[in-house]
Amino acid sequence: MFERLTSDLGVYALSGLFSLVVFAVALAVLARTLPGGLGTRQTGGLVVGYLLFVGVYTAAWYIYTGIDTREDA
């Protein structure tokens, strides 16, 4: 199992999970520390930005997987 986590794709997966945890913690901190908390518009903007990041991240993962399988052939 440890080999899976240290492979290139395992590192991609762990990095993605780490970014999700950091994003959730950052939203919680902002909601508690901002005067008036996070508004719907602010939260929506942050979530859309994060989803764009995840989309690009997923595309890069998919492309990397395709390149990796072509190199093995």
Side-chain angles (χ1 to χ4, degrees):
M1 180 177 159
F2 188 69
E3 295 83 26
R4 282 181 140 179
L5 295 178
T6 57
S7 70
D8 291 339
L9 290 178
V11 170
Y12 267 96
L14 288 175
S15 298
L17 181 62
F18 177 74
S19 77
L20 178 64
V21 169
V22 168
F23 179 73
V25 169
L27 280 181
V29 168
L30 286 173
R32 290 186 179 263
T33 59
L34 285 177
L38 278 173
T40 305
R41 189 172 184 191
Q42 293 167 320
T43 304
L46 290 170
V47 169
V48 167
Y50 181 74
L51 290 176
L52 287 171
F53 164 74
V54 168
V56 170
Y57 190 83
T58 303
W61 189 349
Y62 177 76
I63 290 168
Y64 179 81
T65 304
I67 291 171
D68 199 33
T69 56
R70 288 182 186 175
E71 288 180 356
D72 290 341

